[in-house]
Each structure stands twice: as C-alpha cells, then as structure tokens.
Amino acid sequence: QVQLVESGGGLVQAGGSLRLSCVASGRTFGYRGMGWFRQAPGKEREFVAAIAWIGGTTSYADSVKGRFTISRDNAENTLYLQMNSLKPEDTAVYYCAATLPYRAVTLQIGAYEYWGQGTQVTVSS
C-alpha cells in the first residue's frame, strides 16, 4: 500500500512559478515510476510528466515541455514538479501517481496504481 500526499499548489500570476511536492508512504517508492497528471474543470485528467524508477528517464506532455521539470528524491520518498512560466491554461488540480513496481516511464493513466488527493493550481492572467 502506498499513500501519496501532494502539496505546494496555490494561486500565482501568469509567468510565475510553483513547486509541487508529493510525499509517499511505504517502502516501495524507489521501485515505482512516478507521474504528475492534472484535471481542469470539465476536462479529462491528462498526463503532465513522468519519471522512471531508475536511471532518471523523464517524459513530458508537449504543453509543458521546457517549462516544467519532474524530479524525485528516493531517500526522502518525495516527488517534485517545478513549474515555471505558468500560463492560465495550466490551471487545474494536479495529482501525483505511482505505477506498479518496476514499470517503465509511461503516460498511460491505467498504468498508475496509486493516486494522491490532488492539489489546486490556479494561474491568473
């Protein structure tokens, strides 16, 4: 069982930055791929970024590439999402998620086994 708790969301002006954190419980964090997803009102949940459990491989949605950076600290069981140059269209609830153990980097929602409760990010114009 893995519990994920996100933090770091808030209200920011366009062009600003936020850093989201996701702390995981349990002993298997280091063996799981991790991802960030987001869901805006009236829209489906969409992939934002993912990071492998080993080797540091990352993947990003085209809409955030060059602006967002995903990273992880396995010693602290923590996942991060650094978000720069934020735009109003980045407004959404952001969720962190953990894959089954030893899965490769993936943007497929179905590959993620555990989800956090989400943190709201609002970008004003």
Side-chain angles (χ1 to χ4, degrees):
Q1 188 79 7
V2 176
Q3 291 185 324
L4 303 172
V5 179
E6 302 99 333
S7 62
L11 174 63
V12 64
Q13 288 189 334
S17 298
L18 283 174
R19 188 174 83 153
L20 305 184
S21 299
C22 171
V23 179
S25 67
R27 300 180 179 180
T28 62
F29 176 81
Y31 306 121
R32 297 180 183 267
M34 298 294 297
W36 288 99
F37 293 77
R38 66 187 182 187
Q39 188 166 17
K43 295 187 177 181
E44 292 187 352
R45 192 169 298 190
E46 64 175 5
F47 169 77
V48 175
I51 187 167
W53 67 276
I54 192 171
T57 300
T58 58
S59 178
Y60 296 92
D62 288 343
S63 59
V64 306
K65 204 171 290 184
R67 300 188 298 122
F68 290 11
T69 302
I70 188 171
S71 61
R72 65 190 296 163
D73 184 338
N74 287 346
E76 297 294 330
N77 273 18
T78 304
L79 176 73
Y80 300 100
L81 185 68
Q82 178 67 43
M83 305 186 295
N84 299 328
S85 302
L86 282 161
K87 305 175 181 180
E89 51 264 45
D90 294 318
T91 295
V93 177
Y94 283 71
Y95 299 89
C96 70
T99 68
L100 293 165
Y102 310 113
R103 285 293 301 264
V105 169
T106 176
L107 51 74
Q108 300 297 323
I109 287 180
Y112 289 84
E113 185 176 17
Y114 296 104
W115 293 81
Q117 83 290 347
T119 186
Q120 176 70 47
V121 171
T122 303
V123 184
S124 62
S125 57

